[in-house]
Amino acid sequence: MLIQKGFSLLPLSLLSFTMLSGVAIAADACVTAPLVIAHRGASGHLPEHTLEAYMLAMRMGADFIEPDLVPTKDGQLISRHENDLTHTTNVAVVPQFADRKTTKRIDGIPITGWFSEDFTLAEIKQLKAREPLPGLRPQGVEHNDKFAIVTLAEIVGLVKQFEADTGRKVGLYIETKHPTYFRYEGKTIAGNPIALDISKMLVQQLQQLRFTEPNRVFIQSFEVQNLLELKQQWMPALKLNIPLIQLIGDTEKAYLPPKDSFSVPYDVFYHQQQSTDLASIYKDSSSLLAAEPKPLDYSVLLNDKGLNFMHSYAAGIGPWRSSIYQKHSLNLKPFVKAAQQQGLKVHPYTFRAEANYLMPKDEKTTFSYSDEMQALFKQGIDGLFTDYPDLALEQRALFQRSCKM
C-alpha cells in the first residue's frame, strides 16, 4: 500500500479566500460543520477507488470516503465507478482477457468494453487500477498499474484499521451502481441473466462485516426502487437503519433517453417502458406519479410533492453540482432550502479544483474553488463530495474560523 510520506495539508496562505458579495449567510450555517466526502477517495491525487486513494483521503481528514460498488461474476462486490473496466484498469492490455471485450447496453446506452460481471474475483485481482483522466491528472498516471482492485470487505478492513491506528472514525458513503441493470436487464458475456440485487447484497455484507452504525454509513443511488426496497424490506429484515440518499442527476432534461439516461431515474424509465404498474413498486407515491411525464425526469423529484415523497424513504439528497446554482452565481436554487426544510440533508457532487471544472461567473471568467466552497458553507450546505478533500477541508477550517470572529 502506498503511504505518501511527508504529506501535509496546504498552508492557509496558499489558498485564496474571497468574501463573496451577494451570498447570504444562512442563520444556522455556523452550527454544524458540513461533511467533506472524499469522492472515490482522494481521486484528484491518486487513481480512484483504490485502498491507497481511500487511505490518503482519511489521512487528509475526510469525514467519509465514497466507494462505488459493482458485482463480479461470482457475486463479490468490488469498488469501481462503473462495471465497464476499460478506462479505470489495465484490462485492455492483459492478453488472457482479450476475448472478454464485448458490447452491452447499460441503462439503455451501448458501451463496448470489459465488464465486471464477466470476471471472477480471482480474475479481477489480476488487474491493476489506472487513472481515468490521464490528460487532466498526470499525478494519477504516475501510479498506473500499481494498485489492486478492491472489495467492499477490504475497504471496511482498511477503515477499521485506520480507526485502530489513529482513534478517528471515518464513514463509508456507498453507491450502488446500476441496480436495475444488474437485477433485470443485464446479461453476462455468455448470455446468462446477471439477476443480482446488489442493494440487498450490500446490507447483508455490511452486517456480516459489522459495519452498520447509522452515523458511519450512507447508501446512495441514482435509482429509486432499490432505495425504497432497502427502507421497506431489506433493512427491516436485518434490523438495520442506515440512512439513504437519493442521488439527483440532470434536472434540465439535457440527457434524456435514448441518447443518455442521466436526466431520469433509470428504474422508473425502465418500468415505464415495460408498462409496469408503478404504484405496486413505488408505494406512497401515487400523488407524485398521478400525472407522471414519460420519461419521468429528476426535476419532478424536486417539487414539493417530490421532496415529500423522497422524505418518506431517504435521509437526504445528492444533487448534481451543476443543478444547484442560479445562473451565473453561487446562490443556491430554492429547492436546496426546501429540501432542508423537509428534513432532508443536501450533499451535492462533485467539486473539483481543475480550471475546466470551475463554475462560470460570466462568459469569460469563473469562480475559484475557494469562492465556491465558501459560498456553499455560508449558505448552510450539509456536506459535499470532492476529489480534493484536502482543499475542501482547508476551506472548511477557514469558514469555521470566520464563524468565531
Side-chain angles (χ1 to χ4, degrees):
M1 180 187 301
L2 171 76
I3 301 295
Q4 290 199 344
K5 298 183 183 298
F7 174 83
S8 62
L9 295 179
L10 295 176
L12 298 179
S13 60
L14 295 184
L15 291 168
S16 63
F17 174 40
T18 304
M19 295 302 295
L20 298 173
S21 60
V23 176
I25 300 179
D28 57 351
C30 292
V31 175
T32 304
L35 296 177
V36 172
I37 305 148
H39 184 244
R40 312 179 199 175
S43 56
H45 299 275
L46 293 173
E48 66 189 36
H49 291 312
T50 58
L51 291 184
E52 290 74 15
Y54 295 139
M55 174 61 86
L56 181 57
M58 292 191 293
R59 291 181 62 237
M60 288 173 168
D63 302 302
F64 283 78
I65 57 174
E66 187 222 17
D68 296 329
L69 298 181
V70 296
T72 63
K73 183 178 180 179
D74 48 351
Q76 300 299 309
L77 293 175
I78 62 170
S79 189
R80 291 286 89 193
H81 181 246
E82 297 291 341
N83 56 323
D84 178 12
L85 306 172
T86 310
H87 303 294
T88 65
T89 76
N90 64 341
V91 66
V93 297
V94 179
Q96 63 266 36
F97 299 137
D99 62 350
R100 308 285 176 91
K101 187 177 184 180
T102 188
T103 299
K104 301 190 181 190
R105 295 186 71 86
I106 312 298
D107 293 358
I109 310 302
I111 298 174
T112 299
W114 289 259
F115 298 89
S116 66
E117 63 267 23
D118 297 325
F119 293 77
T120 65
L121 180 59
E123 291 172 330
I124 288 289
K125 286 297 185 179
Q126 297 177 47
L127 305 178
K128 297 296 183 181
R130 285 191 171 182
E131 170 58 52
L133 300 173
L136 192 64
R137 294 176 176 169
Q139 67 271 25
V141 176
E142 294 177 6
H143 302 283
N144 277 357
D145 302 347
K146 295 180 181 178
F147 306 146
I149 314 304
V150 298
T151 64
L152 172 63
E154 289 172 318
I155 297 167
V156 170
L158 179 75
V159 171
K160 288 183 175 180
Q161 187 61 53
F162 181 80
E163 179 185 351
D165 293 342
T166 67
R168 192 170 76 85
K169 293 186 176 183
V170 178
L172 294 181
Y173 207 123
I174 304 168
E175 182 181 349
T176 55
K177 303 296 294 190
H178 308 297
T180 293
Y181 169 79
F182 289 119
R183 184 173 176 181
Y184 296 112
E185 287 192 303
K187 295 183 178 180
T188 67
I189 195 170
N192 301 316
I194 300 170
L196 290 176
D197 188 329
I198 60 173
S199 302
K200 181 180 179 182
M201 292 167 57
L202 169 58
V203 288
Q204 289 174 335
Q205 290 192 26
L206 286 173
Q207 186 174 66
Q208 292 166 1
L209 295 166
R210 298 183 180 180
F211 201 89
T212 58
E213 297 175 46
N215 62 341
R216 294 191 70 182
V217 186
F218 288 99
I219 297 175
Q220 57 178 334
S221 178
F222 279 102
E223 299 189 12
V224 179
Q225 180 183 359
N226 65 315
L227 294 181
L228 282 171
E229 290 180 345
L230 280 168
K231 183 69 173 181
Q232 299 168 357
Q233 299 177 47
W234 309 133
M235 291 200 298
L238 298 173
K239 299 182 180 179
L240 300 180
N241 188 32
I242 296 170
L244 308 177
I245 301 293
Q246 179 66 65
L247 291 171
I248 305 292
D250 166 63
T251 57
E252 302 298 325
K253 305 181 185 180
Y255 302 93
L256 289 171
K259 293 183 178 180
D260 208 328
S261 59
F262 187 54
S263 296
V264 299
Y266 185 73
D267 60 305
V268 179
F269 174 77
Y270 170 80
H271 289 304
Q272 287 178 323
Q273 295 299 106
Q274 300 295 313
S275 298
T276 307
D277 177 15
L278 298 183
S280 67
I281 297 174
Y282 305 99
K283 297 178 177 63
D284 303 321
S285 63
S286 56
S287 61
L288 176 67
L289 299 176
E292 86 259 13
K294 289 189 177 182
L296 182 142
D297 64 271
Y298 281 113
S299 66
V300 174
L301 295 178
L302 297 181
N303 60 30
D304 289 341
K305 287 183 179 179
L307 291 172
N308 185 61
F309 169 57
M310 289 189 291
H311 189 242
S312 71
Y313 63 90
I317 62 173
W320 187 31
R321 174 251 203 152
S322 297
S323 298
I324 64 175
Y325 297 120
Q326 299 177 39
K327 188 174 182 180
H328 295 313
S329 80
L330 296 178
N331 290 302
L332 297 175
K333 289 182 178 178
F335 80 79
V336 174
K337 183 56 65 178
Q340 292 174 322
Q341 290 172 343
Q342 284 266 19
L344 294 164
K345 299 295 185 183
V346 181
H347 300 158
Y349 65 92
T350 303
F351 298 88
R352 300 177 169 104
E354 290 87 0
N356 59 314
Y357 288 119
L358 299 178
M359 292 301 296
K361 182 184 298 185
D362 53 42
E363 293 182 357
K364 295 183 179 180
T365 59
T366 61
F367 293 102
S368 69
Y369 183 89
S370 56
D371 285 342
E372 190 170 9
M373 291 295 101
Q374 294 302 322
L376 288 169
F377 298 153
K378 286 172 67 175
Q379 294 173 91
I381 206 71
D382 298 299
L384 54 87
F385 290 81
T386 179
D387 291 2
Y388 291 93
D390 50 340
L391 300 184
L393 287 161
E394 285 284 358
Q395 291 299 318
R396 186 175 73 178
L398 273 173
F399 177 73
Q400 291 176 311
R401 185 175 300 176
S402 71
C403 284
K404 297 176 182 179
M405 292 180 179

